[in-house]
Amino acid sequence: MLPRCAVGVCHVLMLVLCVSAAEDFDWTKNHHGSFYYGTFPAGFSWGAGGSAYQTEGAWDKDGKGLSIWDVFSHKKGKIQQNDTGDFSCEGYYKVKDDVSLMKELRLNHYRFSISWPRLLPTGIKSDHVNEKGIQYYDHLINHLLENKITPIVTLYHWDLPQVLQEKYGGWQNISMVNYFNEFANLCFERFGDRVKYWITFNNPWSVAVEGYETGEHAPGLRLRGTGAYRAAHHIIKAHAKVWHTYDTQWRGKQKGLVGIALSGEWGEPVDISNQKDIEAAERYVQFHLGWFATPIFHGDYPQVMKDFIGRKSVQQGLGTSRLPTFSPQEKSYIKGTCDFLGIGHFTTRYITQKNNPSGRSSSNYFSDRDLAELVDPRWPDPGSEWLYAVPWGFRRLLNFVKTQYGNPMIYVTENGVSEKMLCTELCDEWRIQYYKDYINEMLKAIKDGVNVKGYTAWSLLDKFEWDEGFSERFGLYYVDFRNKNKPRYPKASVQFYKRIISSNGFPNQREVENWRRKAVETCSSSNQLLAADPLTSHMEMVTEIVVPTVCTLSILLSAIFLMFLLRRRN
Ligand code: NOJ
């Protein structure tokens, strides 16, 4: 998520500048609006995803330990409506149902995460391994494989065991590196015969910035100016260690791949003729994606981060930079620890240069960058406040990855859009539009030579959206959270995404337009829930509607019959 306060207000300026700003690098010579009809390379992997805390529920069941998100969400005032992930989609109990939804979509892969405290309740392997937790993931993995769906497994999607937070301060402490490595090693040992795609961390930018700098996410710490850099430093070391563990101990027999999933939003200069804006936009991307990708591909932090944070630290009168340093040995140990790069991408910003004075109290990650983020008011923003649909930014980001990091193998690990709705809306035309345009920009990027091997729609289900609770829905499937059975209903985008998958791309304009029309026909705004495909898990729901109706009818009929009898007696 991007900070709300950072979204700019210079709309008038934007309206003038965004048109020229959009026409620069030669790999986007095509007009933005032009749609590219064509197919993806053979074997391209189509998927959808979710994560443990966002979907599983069963927060205190079968021996699971507490995570920092269990504790954080139970504190009043941290999450919209004080929602928690205690039950969420109850995915823990619905493996079979959910795998049938994936089959309906004809997915090639499913991306999910393993809850560390479900396997290791205290986070520490020597304390206790929870076999019930192992059984749950065994069941999920086996069921996916039986249905020919490849599991892509994330080891850390933000749910650190609470004990590790309380005892050591979580990612502020270097000891996490070894604890995480032991957890990862256990996963390789128990699941690695079947899992061939491992992601160490999901979106460490959020863990560092929102967990330790702004405090919007668990563990909710506000260690401004240092907390995020320190957390990131340990996360990068932990990632590298786990990659080496797999490389030396497991790769030979298991033959899998280990990568990391980074979030990368694109930053476009407000004024492409202004060198300062060009540099500011580059800085925006380097402070976000580059912060993690540059050490992993090149061995050290981006030069621009070292320069800016170092200079500002000196101005504050500090003896050393707030950005920690890697020793030469650490640099070579970290460099090259990525078999594939996961990219989570949702949106784009216009960026302009803005100097921030560096005072002791004002210095933080955001001000270190010396820039301002702006948006074009014409960009669609159907859901989350920070999420504007800007498809062309996706192609630019993918090309940036190609040129900066030596054209690595890429899996898009997250891409999608949310809605903020009070009432049920299954006719999600804006999501169809978003997927259509973003997937098309990815296709263009592949034609540019970017090595994208797979795409993960985010997300399969509506789910717990962190500090936004259940107020933002990213799912292809709608989940009725008010019903204790958490029934799932397909939104129109299910039909559309399914067609992209079965055609492995976009055949021609007429057909793609037909897909859209048909998808929207399958839902109707007046009778959305009942118009949706009936699924087994809906049965309960239907019963709840039917039973009162039958009851009411029986009472009415009995009353009429009684009146009829009474009349005859009179
Ligand atoms: C990125 C996070 O990894 C994911 O868990 C979340 O659902 C999306 N952002 C949308 O906010």
PDB file of all heavy atoms in Angstrom, residues 48-50 54-55 89-91 94 98 101 110 457-465 472-479 481 486-489 491:
ATOM      1  N   ALA A  48      -3.679 -17.718  -9.676  1.00  0.00           N
ATOM      2  CA  ALA A  48      -4.315 -16.758  -8.762  1.00  0.00           C
ATOM      3  C   ALA A  48      -3.689 -17.014  -7.395  1.00  0.00           C
ATOM      4  O   ALA A  48      -3.023 -18.033  -7.190  1.00  0.00           O
ATOM      5  CB  ALA A  48      -5.825 -16.950  -8.726  1.00  0.00           C
ATOM      6  N   GLY A  49      -3.912 -16.087  -6.478  1.00  0.00           N
ATOM      7  CA  GLY A  49      -3.229 -16.250  -5.200  1.00  0.00           C
ATOM      8  C   GLY A  49      -4.013 -15.761  -3.999  1.00  0.00           C
ATOM      9  O   GLY A  49      -5.113 -15.200  -4.123  1.00  0.00           O
ATOM     10  N   GLY A  50      -3.406 -16.002  -2.858  1.00  0.00           N
ATOM     11  CA  GLY A  50      -3.924 -15.557  -1.572  1.00  0.00           C
ATOM     12  C   GLY A  50      -2.803 -15.774  -0.560  1.00  0.00           C
ATOM     13  O   GLY A  50      -1.718 -16.224  -0.928  1.00  0.00           O
ATOM     14  N   GLN A  54      -4.583 -13.841   5.415  1.00  0.00           N
ATOM     15  CA  GLN A  54      -5.696 -13.184   4.726  1.00  0.00           C
ATOM     16  C   GLN A  54      -6.870 -14.124   4.458  1.00  0.00           C
ATOM     17  O   GLN A  54      -7.986 -13.654   4.273  1.00  0.00           O
ATOM     18  CB  GLN A  54      -5.206 -12.577   3.407  1.00  0.00           C
ATOM     19  CG  GLN A  54      -4.262 -11.404   3.614  1.00  0.00           C
ATOM     20  CD  GLN A  54      -3.854 -10.761   2.309  1.00  0.00           C
ATOM     21  OE1 GLN A  54      -2.992 -11.272   1.603  1.00  0.00           O
ATOM     22  NE2 GLN A  54      -4.461  -9.653   1.963  1.00  0.00           N
ATOM     23  N   THR A  55      -6.604 -15.431   4.393  1.00  0.00           N
ATOM     24  CA  THR A  55      -7.685 -16.339   3.970  1.00  0.00           C
ATOM     25  C   THR A  55      -7.990 -17.509   4.906  1.00  0.00           C
ATOM     26  O   THR A  55      -9.122 -17.988   4.924  1.00  0.00           O
ATOM     27  CB  THR A  55      -7.361 -16.978   2.599  1.00  0.00           C
ATOM     28  OG1 THR A  55      -6.143 -17.722   2.728  1.00  0.00           O
ATOM     29  CG2 THR A  55      -7.180 -15.944   1.506  1.00  0.00           C
ATOM     30  N   CYS A  89     -11.896 -16.212   5.324  1.00  0.00           N
ATOM     31  CA  CYS A  89     -12.623 -17.050   4.349  1.00  0.00           C
ATOM     32  C   CYS A  89     -12.769 -18.480   4.856  1.00  0.00           C
ATOM     33  O   CYS A  89     -13.287 -19.339   4.138  1.00  0.00           O
ATOM     34  CB  CYS A  89     -11.882 -17.106   3.025  1.00  0.00           C
ATOM     35  SG  CYS A  89     -11.343 -15.523   2.402  1.00  0.00           S
ATOM     36  N   GLU A  90     -12.241 -18.784   6.039  1.00  0.00           N
ATOM     37  CA  GLU A  90     -12.227 -20.151   6.576  1.00  0.00           C
ATOM     38  C   GLU A  90     -11.577 -21.112   5.580  1.00  0.00           C
ATOM     39  O   GLU A  90     -11.965 -22.276   5.457  1.00  0.00           O
ATOM     40  CB  GLU A  90     -13.654 -20.639   6.910  1.00  0.00           C
ATOM     41  CG  GLU A  90     -14.377 -19.794   7.951  1.00  0.00           C
ATOM     42  CD  GLU A  90     -14.133 -20.217   9.395  1.00  0.00           C
ATOM     43  OE1 GLU A  90     -13.032 -20.741   9.683  1.00  0.00           O
ATOM     44  OE2 GLU A  90     -15.039 -20.010  10.226  1.00  0.00           O
ATOM     45  N   GLY A  91     -10.582 -20.606   4.874  1.00  0.00           N
ATOM     46  CA  GLY A  91      -9.885 -21.425   3.873  1.00  0.00           C
ATOM     47  C   GLY A  91      -9.298 -22.698   4.470  1.00  0.00           C
ATOM     48  O   GLY A  91      -9.147 -23.703   3.781  1.00  0.00           O
ATOM     49  N   LYS A  94     -11.693 -25.316   3.826  1.00  0.00           N
ATOM     50  CA  LYS A  94     -12.349 -25.345   2.509  1.00  0.00           C
ATOM     51  C   LYS A  94     -11.386 -25.636   1.368  1.00  0.00           C
ATOM     52  O   LYS A  94     -11.544 -25.099   0.273  1.00  0.00           O
ATOM     53  CB  LYS A  94     -13.045 -23.992   2.273  1.00  0.00           C
ATOM     54  CG  LYS A  94     -14.305 -23.820   3.092  1.00  0.00           C
ATOM     55  CD  LYS A  94     -14.916 -22.470   2.835  1.00  0.00           C
ATOM     56  CE  LYS A  94     -16.261 -22.326   3.498  1.00  0.00           C
ATOM     57  NZ  LYS A  94     -17.331 -23.007   2.766  1.00  0.00           N
ATOM     58  N   ASP A  98     -12.173 -24.690  -2.545  1.00  0.00           N
ATOM     59  CA  ASP A  98     -11.362 -23.662  -3.208  1.00  0.00           C
ATOM     60  C   ASP A  98     -10.603 -24.227  -4.400  1.00  0.00           C
ATOM     61  O   ASP A  98     -10.448 -23.548  -5.413  1.00  0.00           O
ATOM     62  CB  ASP A  98     -10.438 -22.973  -2.200  1.00  0.00           C
ATOM     63  CG  ASP A  98     -11.246 -22.064  -1.265  1.00  0.00           C
ATOM     64  OD1 ASP A  98     -12.418 -21.757  -1.599  1.00  0.00           O
ATOM     65  OD2 ASP A  98     -10.723 -21.673  -0.203  1.00  0.00           O
ATOM     66  N   LEU A 101     -12.815 -24.141  -7.288  1.00  0.00           N
ATOM     67  CA  LEU A 101     -12.896 -22.818  -7.917  1.00  0.00           C
ATOM     68  C   LEU A 101     -11.701 -22.599  -8.861  1.00  0.00           C
ATOM     69  O   LEU A 101     -11.839 -22.043  -9.944  1.00  0.00           O
ATOM     70  CB  LEU A 101     -12.909 -21.708  -6.864  1.00  0.00           C
ATOM     71  CG  LEU A 101     -14.003 -21.769  -5.787  1.00  0.00           C
ATOM     72  CD1 LEU A 101     -13.893 -20.566  -4.857  1.00  0.00           C
ATOM     73  CD2 LEU A 101     -15.383 -21.817  -6.419  1.00  0.00           C
ATOM     74  N   TYR A 110      -1.353 -22.059  -8.244  1.00  0.00           N
ATOM     75  CA  TYR A 110      -1.992 -21.326  -7.149  1.00  0.00           C
ATOM     76  C   TYR A 110      -0.895 -20.877  -6.203  1.00  0.00           C
ATOM     77  O   TYR A 110      -0.032 -21.666  -5.817  1.00  0.00           O
ATOM     78  CB  TYR A 110      -2.989 -22.226  -6.417  1.00  0.00           C
ATOM     79  CG  TYR A 110      -3.647 -21.528  -5.242  1.00  0.00           C
ATOM     80  CD1 TYR A 110      -4.368 -20.349  -5.418  1.00  0.00           C
ATOM     81  CD2 TYR A 110      -3.541 -22.048  -3.947  1.00  0.00           C
ATOM     82  CE1 TYR A 110      -4.960 -19.699  -4.347  1.00  0.00           C
ATOM     83  CE2 TYR A 110      -4.145 -21.404  -2.869  1.00  0.00           C
ATOM     84  CZ  TYR A 110      -4.852 -20.236  -3.075  1.00  0.00           C
ATOM     85  OH  TYR A 110      -5.435 -19.587  -2.016  1.00  0.00           O
ATOM     86  N   ALA A 457      -3.175 -13.671 -10.748  1.00  0.00           N
ATOM     87  CA  ALA A 457      -4.224 -12.685 -10.478  1.00  0.00           C
ATOM     88  C   ALA A 457      -4.387 -12.584  -8.964  1.00  0.00           C
ATOM     89  O   ALA A 457      -4.429 -13.596  -8.256  1.00  0.00           O
ATOM     90  CB  ALA A 457      -5.535 -13.132 -11.118  1.00  0.00           C
ATOM     91  N   TRP A 458      -4.493 -11.363  -8.473  1.00  0.00           N
ATOM     92  CA  TRP A 458      -4.621 -11.140  -7.033  1.00  0.00           C
ATOM     93  C   TRP A 458      -5.965 -10.521  -6.754  1.00  0.00           C
ATOM     94  O   TRP A 458      -6.206  -9.404  -7.127  1.00  0.00           O
ATOM     95  CB  TRP A 458      -3.498 -10.219  -6.543  1.00  0.00           C
ATOM     96  CG  TRP A 458      -3.370 -10.277  -5.059  1.00  0.00           C
ATOM     97  CD1 TRP A 458      -3.894  -9.387  -4.157  1.00  0.00           C
ATOM     98  CD2 TRP A 458      -2.708 -11.296  -4.300  1.00  0.00           C
ATOM     99  NE1 TRP A 458      -3.594  -9.778  -2.884  1.00  0.00           N
ATOM    100  CE2 TRP A 458      -2.875 -10.951  -2.937  1.00  0.00           C
ATOM    101  CE3 TRP A 458      -2.017 -12.468  -4.626  1.00  0.00           C
ATOM    102  CZ2 TRP A 458      -2.354 -11.736  -1.904  1.00  0.00           C
ATOM    103  CZ3 TRP A 458      -1.507 -13.232  -3.602  1.00  0.00           C
ATOM    104  CH2 TRP A 458      -1.673 -12.860  -2.264  1.00  0.00           C
ATOM    105  N   SER A 459      -6.902 -11.300  -6.216  1.00  0.00           N
ATOM    106  CA  SER A 459      -6.648 -12.565  -5.583  1.00  0.00           C
ATOM    107  C   SER A 459      -7.763 -13.533  -5.972  1.00  0.00           C
ATOM    108  O   SER A 459      -8.747 -13.120  -6.570  1.00  0.00           O
ATOM    109  CB  SER A 459      -6.620 -12.383  -4.064  1.00  0.00           C
ATOM    110  OG  SER A 459      -7.722 -11.572  -3.650  1.00  0.00           O
ATOM    111  N   LEU A 460      -7.621 -14.801  -5.595  1.00  0.00           N
ATOM    112  CA  LEU A 460      -8.684 -15.759  -5.916  1.00  0.00           C
ATOM    113  C   LEU A 460      -9.984 -15.343  -5.221  1.00  0.00           C
ATOM    114  O   LEU A 460     -11.046 -15.296  -5.830  1.00  0.00           O
ATOM    115  CB  LEU A 460      -8.279 -17.169  -5.458  1.00  0.00           C
ATOM    116  CG  LEU A 460      -9.320 -18.246  -5.781  1.00  0.00           C
ATOM    117  CD1 LEU A 460      -9.348 -18.559  -7.267  1.00  0.00           C
ATOM    118  CD2 LEU A 460      -9.072 -19.516  -4.984  1.00  0.00           C
ATOM    119  N   LEU A 461      -9.858 -15.036  -3.934  1.00  0.00           N
ATOM    120  CA  LEU A 461     -11.043 -14.734  -3.118  1.00  0.00           C
ATOM    121  C   LEU A 461     -10.972 -13.332  -2.548  1.00  0.00           C
ATOM    122  O   LEU A 461      -9.877 -12.806  -2.331  1.00  0.00           O
ATOM    123  CB  LEU A 461     -11.102 -15.692  -1.907  1.00  0.00           C
ATOM    124  CG  LEU A 461     -11.069 -17.183  -2.165  1.00  0.00           C
ATOM    125  CD1 LEU A 461     -10.996 -17.928  -0.827  1.00  0.00           C
ATOM    126  CD2 LEU A 461     -12.301 -17.627  -2.937  1.00  0.00           C
ATOM    127  N   ASP A 462     -12.111 -12.754  -2.208  1.00  0.00           N
ATOM    128  CA  ASP A 462     -12.116 -11.601  -1.314  1.00  0.00           C
ATOM    129  C   ASP A 462     -11.540 -12.093   0.013  1.00  0.00           C
ATOM    130  O   ASP A 462     -11.767 -13.244   0.398  1.00  0.00           O
ATOM    131  CB  ASP A 462     -13.553 -11.122  -1.058  1.00  0.00           C
ATOM    132  CG  ASP A 462     -14.179 -10.492  -2.285  1.00  0.00           C
ATOM    133  OD1 ASP A 462     -13.453 -10.065  -3.179  1.00  0.00           O
ATOM    134  OD2 ASP A 462     -15.429 -10.437  -2.318  1.00  0.00           O
ATOM    135  N   LYS A 463     -10.848 -11.225   0.725  1.00  0.00           N
ATOM    136  CA  LYS A 463     -10.162 -11.701   1.941  1.00  0.00           C
ATOM    137  C   LYS A 463      -9.849 -10.542   2.876  1.00  0.00           C
ATOM    138  O   LYS A 463     -10.173  -9.392   2.569  1.00  0.00           O
ATOM    139  CB  LYS A 463      -8.881 -12.438   1.538  1.00  0.00           C
ATOM    140  CG  LYS A 463      -7.975 -11.523   0.733  1.00  0.00           C
ATOM    141  CD  LYS A 463      -6.865 -12.237   0.074  1.00  0.00           C
ATOM    142  CE  LYS A 463      -6.023 -11.294  -0.747  1.00  0.00           C
ATOM    143  NZ  LYS A 463      -6.617 -10.034  -1.229  1.00  0.00           N
ATOM    144  N   PHE A 464      -9.186 -10.835   3.957  1.00  0.00           N
ATOM    145  CA  PHE A 464      -8.805  -9.805   4.928  1.00  0.00           C
ATOM    146  C   PHE A 464      -7.713  -8.924   4.306  1.00  0.00           C
ATOM    147  O   PHE A 464      -6.647  -9.427   3.943  1.00  0.00           O
ATOM    148  CB  PHE A 464      -8.289 -10.498   6.190  1.00  0.00           C
ATOM    149  CG  PHE A 464      -7.860  -9.559   7.269  1.00  0.00           C
ATOM    150  CD1 PHE A 464      -8.786  -9.013   8.147  1.00  0.00           C
ATOM    151  CD2 PHE A 464      -6.516  -9.227   7.432  1.00  0.00           C
ATOM    152  CE1 PHE A 464      -8.382  -8.141   9.156  1.00  0.00           C
ATOM    153  CE2 PHE A 464      -6.106  -8.366   8.436  1.00  0.00           C
ATOM    154  CZ  PHE A 464      -7.045  -7.823   9.299  1.00  0.00           C
ATOM    155  N   GLU A 465      -8.032  -7.635   4.163  1.00  0.00           N
ATOM    156  CA  GLU A 465      -7.089  -6.726   3.488  1.00  0.00           C
ATOM    157  C   GLU A 465      -6.265  -5.915   4.489  1.00  0.00           C
ATOM    158  O   GLU A 465      -6.233  -4.696   4.455  1.00  0.00           O
ATOM    159  CB  GLU A 465      -7.838  -5.795   2.543  1.00  0.00           C
ATOM    160  CG  GLU A 465      -7.816  -6.191   1.088  1.00  0.00           C
ATOM    161  CD  GLU A 465      -6.497  -6.731   0.563  1.00  0.00           C
ATOM    162  OE1 GLU A 465      -5.458  -6.101   0.798  1.00  0.00           O
ATOM    163  OE2 GLU A 465      -6.521  -7.788  -0.077  1.00  0.00           O
ATOM    164  N   GLU A 472     -12.157  -3.793   1.608  1.00  0.00           N
ATOM    165  CA  GLU A 472     -11.680  -3.775   0.216  1.00  0.00           C
ATOM    166  C   GLU A 472     -11.642  -5.204  -0.305  1.00  0.00           C
ATOM    167  O   GLU A 472     -11.089  -6.086   0.337  1.00  0.00           O
ATOM    168  CB  GLU A 472     -10.289  -3.137   0.148  1.00  0.00           C
ATOM    169  CG  GLU A 472     -10.367  -1.666   0.494  1.00  0.00           C
ATOM    170  CD  GLU A 472      -9.025  -0.948   0.447  1.00  0.00           C
ATOM    171  OE1 GLU A 472      -8.016  -1.557   0.049  1.00  0.00           O
ATOM    172  OE2 GLU A 472      -9.004   0.230   0.828  1.00  0.00           O
ATOM    173  N   ARG A 473     -12.252  -5.381  -1.471  1.00  0.00           N
ATOM    174  CA  ARG A 473     -12.390  -6.738  -2.025  1.00  0.00           C
ATOM    175  C   ARG A 473     -11.585  -6.866  -3.311  1.00  0.00           C
ATOM    176  O   ARG A 473     -11.903  -6.219  -4.297  1.00  0.00           O
ATOM    177  CB  ARG A 473     -13.867  -7.029  -2.306  1.00  0.00           C
ATOM    178  CG  ARG A 473     -14.729  -7.092  -1.059  1.00  0.00           C
ATOM    179  CD  ARG A 473     -16.192  -7.200  -1.435  1.00  0.00           C
ATOM    180  NE  ARG A 473     -17.012  -7.417  -0.261  1.00  0.00           N
ATOM    181  CZ  ARG A 473     -17.286  -8.619   0.250  1.00  0.00           C
ATOM    182  NH1 ARG A 473     -16.841  -9.706  -0.355  1.00  0.00           N
ATOM    183  NH2 ARG A 473     -18.023  -8.729   1.332  1.00  0.00           N
ATOM    184  N   PHE A 474     -10.562  -7.741  -3.277  1.00  0.00           N
ATOM    185  CA  PHE A 474      -9.734  -7.960  -4.459  1.00  0.00           C
ATOM    186  C   PHE A 474     -10.118  -9.225  -5.217  1.00  0.00           C
ATOM    187  O   PHE A 474      -9.535  -9.541  -6.249  1.00  0.00           O
ATOM    188  CB  PHE A 474      -8.257  -8.093  -4.046  1.00  0.00           C
ATOM    189  CG  PHE A 474      -7.537  -6.774  -3.882  1.00  0.00           C
ATOM    190  CD1 PHE A 474      -7.621  -6.057  -2.693  1.00  0.00           C
ATOM    191  CD2 PHE A 474      -6.789  -6.250  -4.917  1.00  0.00           C
ATOM    192  CE1 PHE A 474      -6.953  -4.841  -2.543  1.00  0.00           C
ATOM    193  CE2 PHE A 474      -6.114  -5.039  -4.779  1.00  0.00           C
ATOM    194  CZ  PHE A 474      -6.200  -4.332  -3.594  1.00  0.00           C
ATOM    195  N   GLY A 475     -11.069  -9.998  -4.711  1.00  0.00           N
ATOM    196  CA  GLY A 475     -11.289 -11.344  -5.220  1.00  0.00           C
ATOM    197  C   GLY A 475     -11.898 -11.439  -6.602  1.00  0.00           C
ATOM    198  O   GLY A 475     -12.679 -10.592  -7.028  1.00  0.00           O
ATOM    199  N   LEU A 476     -11.546 -12.541  -7.288  1.00  0.00           N
ATOM    200  CA  LEU A 476     -12.304 -12.945  -8.477  1.00  0.00           C
ATOM    201  C   LEU A 476     -13.630 -13.527  -7.976  1.00  0.00           C
ATOM    202  O   LEU A 476     -14.651 -13.420  -8.636  1.00  0.00           O
ATOM    203  CB  LEU A 476     -11.538 -14.013  -9.253  1.00  0.00           C
ATOM    204  CG  LEU A 476     -10.284 -13.526 -10.006  1.00  0.00           C
ATOM    205  CD1 LEU A 476      -9.335 -14.679 -10.273  1.00  0.00           C
ATOM    206  CD2 LEU A 476     -10.671 -12.855 -11.310  1.00  0.00           C
ATOM    207  N   TYR A 477     -13.569 -14.156  -6.812  1.00  0.00           N
ATOM    208  CA  TYR A 477     -14.779 -14.692  -6.181  1.00  0.00           C
ATOM    209  C   TYR A 477     -15.171 -13.813  -4.999  1.00  0.00           C
ATOM    210  O   TYR A 477     -14.330 -13.454  -4.174  1.00  0.00           O
ATOM    211  CB  TYR A 477     -14.549 -16.118  -5.693  1.00  0.00           C
ATOM    212  CG  TYR A 477     -14.537 -17.123  -6.821  1.00  0.00           C
ATOM    213  CD1 TYR A 477     -13.357 -17.411  -7.498  1.00  0.00           C
ATOM    214  CD2 TYR A 477     -15.703 -17.770  -7.232  1.00  0.00           C
ATOM    215  CE1 TYR A 477     -13.341 -18.319  -8.552  1.00  0.00           C
ATOM    216  CE2 TYR A 477     -15.695 -18.679  -8.282  1.00  0.00           C
ATOM    217  CZ  TYR A 477     -14.508 -18.946  -8.942  1.00  0.00           C
ATOM    218  OH  TYR A 477     -14.502 -19.834  -9.979  1.00  0.00           O
ATOM    219  N   TYR A 478     -16.437 -13.488  -4.953  1.00  0.00           N
ATOM    220  CA  TYR A 478     -17.000 -12.731  -3.834  1.00  0.00           C
ATOM    221  C   TYR A 478     -17.174 -13.681  -2.648  1.00  0.00           C
ATOM    222  O   TYR A 478     -17.638 -14.810  -2.821  1.00  0.00           O
ATOM    223  CB  TYR A 478     -18.364 -12.185  -4.268  1.00  0.00           C
ATOM    224  CG  TYR A 478     -19.095 -11.409  -3.208  1.00  0.00           C
ATOM    225  CD1 TYR A 478     -18.945 -10.026  -3.108  1.00  0.00           C
ATOM    226  CD2 TYR A 478     -19.950 -12.052  -2.319  1.00  0.00           C
ATOM    227  CE1 TYR A 478     -19.619  -9.316  -2.137  1.00  0.00           C
ATOM    228  CE2 TYR A 478     -20.629 -11.340  -1.344  1.00  0.00           C
ATOM    229  CZ  TYR A 478     -20.461  -9.970  -1.256  1.00  0.00           C
ATOM    230  OH  TYR A 478     -21.127  -9.268  -0.295  1.00  0.00           O
ATOM    231  N   VAL A 479     -16.800 -13.236  -1.459  1.00  0.00           N
ATOM    232  CA  VAL A 479     -17.023 -14.050  -0.257  1.00  0.00           C
ATOM    233  C   VAL A 479     -18.007 -13.301   0.635  1.00  0.00           C
ATOM    234  O   VAL A 479     -17.824 -12.117   0.924  1.00  0.00           O
ATOM    235  CB  VAL A 479     -15.700 -14.306   0.503  1.00  0.00           C
ATOM    236  CG1 VAL A 479     -15.959 -15.098   1.792  1.00  0.00           C
ATOM    237  CG2 VAL A 479     -14.710 -15.052  -0.372  1.00  0.00           C
ATOM    238  N   PHE A 481     -18.852 -12.598   3.908  1.00  0.00           N
ATOM    239  CA  PHE A 481     -18.250 -12.724   5.234  1.00  0.00           C
ATOM    240  C   PHE A 481     -19.279 -12.705   6.353  1.00  0.00           C
ATOM    241  O   PHE A 481     -18.988 -13.100   7.469  1.00  0.00           O
ATOM    242  CB  PHE A 481     -17.207 -11.616   5.457  1.00  0.00           C
ATOM    243  CG  PHE A 481     -16.031 -11.721   4.532  1.00  0.00           C
ATOM    244  CD1 PHE A 481     -15.848 -10.815   3.498  1.00  0.00           C
ATOM    245  CD2 PHE A 481     -15.103 -12.739   4.677  1.00  0.00           C
ATOM    246  CE1 PHE A 481     -14.778 -10.912   2.630  1.00  0.00           C
ATOM    247  CE2 PHE A 481     -14.020 -12.857   3.814  1.00  0.00           C
ATOM    248  CZ  PHE A 481     -13.859 -11.944   2.786  1.00  0.00           C
ATOM    249  N   LYS A 486     -19.226 -18.652   4.965  1.00  0.00           N
ATOM    250  CA  LYS A 486     -18.363 -17.925   4.016  1.00  0.00           C
ATOM    251  C   LYS A 486     -18.519 -18.434   2.572  1.00  0.00           C
ATOM    252  O   LYS A 486     -17.544 -18.850   1.921  1.00  0.00           O
ATOM    253  CB  LYS A 486     -16.873 -18.031   4.412  1.00  0.00           C
ATOM    254  CG  LYS A 486     -16.590 -17.865   5.883  1.00  0.00           C
ATOM    255  CD  LYS A 486     -16.872 -16.462   6.352  1.00  0.00           C
ATOM    256  CE  LYS A 486     -16.717 -16.396   7.864  1.00  0.00           C
ATOM    257  NZ  LYS A 486     -17.160 -15.152   8.429  1.00  0.00           N
ATOM    258  N   PRO A 487     -19.753 -18.441   2.052  1.00  0.00           N
ATOM    259  CA  PRO A 487     -19.927 -18.913   0.672  1.00  0.00           C
ATOM    260  C   PRO A 487     -19.204 -18.022  -0.322  1.00  0.00           C
ATOM    261  O   PRO A 487     -19.038 -16.819  -0.101  1.00  0.00           O
ATOM    262  CB  PRO A 487     -21.441 -18.849   0.462  1.00  0.00           C
ATOM    263  CG  PRO A 487     -21.939 -17.898   1.473  1.00  0.00           C
ATOM    264  CD  PRO A 487     -21.007 -17.983   2.654  1.00  0.00           C
ATOM    265  N   ARG A 488     -18.747 -18.620  -1.405  1.00  0.00           N
ATOM    266  CA  ARG A 488     -18.041 -17.911  -2.482  1.00  0.00           C
ATOM    267  C   ARG A 488     -18.964 -17.800  -3.694  1.00  0.00           C
ATOM    268  O   ARG A 488     -19.658 -18.780  -4.012  1.00  0.00           O
ATOM    269  CB  ARG A 488     -16.807 -18.710  -2.929  1.00  0.00           C
ATOM    270  CG  ARG A 488     -15.596 -18.677  -1.990  1.00  0.00           C
ATOM    271  CD  ARG A 488     -15.660 -19.708  -0.910  1.00  0.00           C
ATOM    272  NE  ARG A 488     -14.357 -20.034  -0.342  1.00  0.00           N
ATOM    273  CZ  ARG A 488     -13.998 -19.860   0.904  1.00  0.00           C
ATOM    274  NH1 ARG A 488     -14.831 -19.339   1.791  1.00  0.00           N
ATOM    275  NH2 ARG A 488     -12.795 -20.221   1.316  1.00  0.00           N
ATOM    276  N   TYR A 489     -18.950 -16.675  -4.376  1.00  0.00           N
ATOM    277  CA  TYR A 489     -19.761 -16.466  -5.584  1.00  0.00           C
ATOM    278  C   TYR A 489     -18.881 -15.893  -6.680  1.00  0.00           C
ATOM    279  O   TYR A 489     -18.130 -14.950  -6.426  1.00  0.00           O
ATOM    280  CB  TYR A 489     -20.891 -15.463  -5.323  1.00  0.00           C
ATOM    281  CG  TYR A 489     -21.834 -15.883  -4.226  1.00  0.00           C
ATOM    282  CD1 TYR A 489     -21.576 -15.527  -2.907  1.00  0.00           C
ATOM    283  CD2 TYR A 489     -22.963 -16.633  -4.512  1.00  0.00           C
ATOM    284  CE1 TYR A 489     -22.425 -15.920  -1.893  1.00  0.00           C
ATOM    285  CE2 TYR A 489     -23.830 -17.029  -3.502  1.00  0.00           C
ATOM    286  CZ  TYR A 489     -23.550 -16.667  -2.191  1.00  0.00           C
ATOM    287  OH  TYR A 489     -24.392 -17.057  -1.189  1.00  0.00           O
ATOM    288  N   LYS A 491     -17.572 -13.598  -9.498  1.00  0.00           N
ATOM    289  CA  LYS A 491     -17.849 -12.284 -10.087  1.00  0.00           C
ATOM    290  C   LYS A 491     -17.722 -12.455 -11.611  1.00  0.00           C
ATOM    291  O   LYS A 491     -17.204 -13.468 -12.087  1.00  0.00           O
ATOM    292  CB  LYS A 491     -16.836 -11.252  -9.573  1.00  0.00           C
ATOM    293  CG  LYS A 491     -16.860 -11.085  -8.048  1.00  0.00           C
ATOM    294  CD  LYS A 491     -15.871 -10.036  -7.576  1.00  0.00           C
ATOM    295  CE  LYS A 491     -15.702 -10.076  -6.052  1.00  0.00           C
ATOM    296  NZ  LYS A 491     -14.634  -9.187  -5.565  1.00  0.00           N
TER     297      LYS A 491
END
